[in-house]
Amino acid sequence: MKVGLFFGSFNPIHIGHLILANVAVESTDLDKICFVVSPQNPFKKRSSLLHEFDRLDMVRAAIHDNPRFEVSDIEFHLPRPSYTIDTLTYLQDKYPQRRFALLMGEDNLTHFHKWKNYEQILEYYELYVYPRPHAGEHAFRNHPKIHHIEAPLLDISATYIRRCIQEGRSIRYMVTEPVAELIYSRKYYH
């Protein structure tokens, strides 16, 4: 089984994430997409993050009805900040029957060379890259382990959604109904 790992803060998970994951699992050789909730992205400020278990609950609510999607809290149990190579190594050791790949936005490739052991990631794993607005140039355009997938160019941001919530504006259609219910019932981002 080939599993695409979709790492993210998912703060909150929104329809953009779900559309991209669905396109990837429907149009590539990936059998499943695993949403890996990151407790702390080394490139993001911690203060803006909702608690990791709340973000995990939102991902579970968002993907509950898709058998080709799963969620992982594996990085909650690894040293922090979490680095992709460490998570990949741990998962490959724990699940040797699975082949792992990364699903990521093209904008990540502009600073991919700054990731811990990025050469090792490219040596052992494939990357499935979806287009992102303002992605910029990068040195990995023709790398044999990087597959560019055709997907809608989505510019929905969790930052915008959080701002809408804080300003009392609707987030309808930007997140799934179950995620919206969690956000409002638990007063996330207010």
Side-chain angles (χ1 to χ4, degrees):
M1 178 180 292
K2 192 170 187 180
V3 179
L5 301 173
F6 193 178
F7 288 83
S9 300
F10 305 113
N11 190 36
I13 187 168
H14 53 69
I15 58 135
H17 297 126
L18 299 170
I19 291 169
L20 293 168
N22 195 61
V23 166
V25 83
E26 291 291 331
S27 66
T28 69
D29 62 343
L30 297 171
D31 299 301
K32 277 188 176 284
I33 299 295
C34 179
F35 292 79
V36 181
V37 180
S38 301
Q40 176 60 48
N41 179 326
F43 295 105
K44 289 188 179 179
K45 290 182 183 175
R46 184 161 185 79
S47 61
S48 66
L49 286 179
L50 195 63
H51 191 279
E52 59 206 45
F53 290 109
D54 295 324
R55 292 182 285 119
L56 182 70
D57 285 348
M58 286 192 288
V59 174
R60 279 192 181 120
I63 68 168
H64 76 278
D65 60 349
N66 189 330
R68 295 185 75 185
F69 289 172
E70 58 188 44
V71 63
S72 173
D73 65 356
I74 192 65
E75 289 196 336
F76 296 8
H77 313 290
L78 297 175
R80 296 180 194 193
S82 31
Y83 293 97
T84 303
I85 188 61
D86 298 331
T87 306
L88 284 166
T89 302
Y90 179 87
L91 286 171
Q92 199 62 76
D93 287 345
K94 187 170 178 169
Y95 302 103
Q97 73 282 12
R98 288 184 164 198
R99 289 177 27 232
F100 293 100
L102 297 179
L103 175 62
M104 60 194 276
E106 189 172 21
D107 52 328
N108 285 300
L109 292 180
T110 58
H111 61 268
F112 186 66
H113 63 283
K114 295 180 183 176
W115 288 27
K116 179 183 174 185
N117 297 15
Y118 79 92
E119 304 98 334
Q120 195 179 353
I121 294 172
L122 285 174
E123 184 177 346
Y124 296 107
Y125 302 95
E126 293 174 278
L127 276 62
Y128 290 79
V129 177
Y130 55 84
R132 291 284 292 147
H134 322 294
E137 284 303 309
H138 54 81
F140 303 100
R141 175 91 31 223
N142 298 311
H143 194 284
K145 291 277 186 96
I146 297 178
H147 311 287
H148 293 269
I149 58 177
E150 185 180 346
L153 196 60
L154 299 166
D155 200 9
I156 300 167
S157 85
T159 303
Y160 177 78
I161 293 168
R162 291 192 306 270
R163 191 168 58 244
C164 287
I165 294 164
Q166 290 160 357
E167 294 172 1
R169 293 186 286 141
S170 173
I171 57 169
R172 189 174 188 190
Y173 306 120
M174 290 186 273
V175 299
T176 63
E177 282 297 319
V179 171
E181 286 172 20
L182 279 177
I183 288 170
Y184 292 123
S185 67
R186 297 183 182 177
K187 299 191 179 348
Y188 293 158
Y189 311 115
H190 285 84

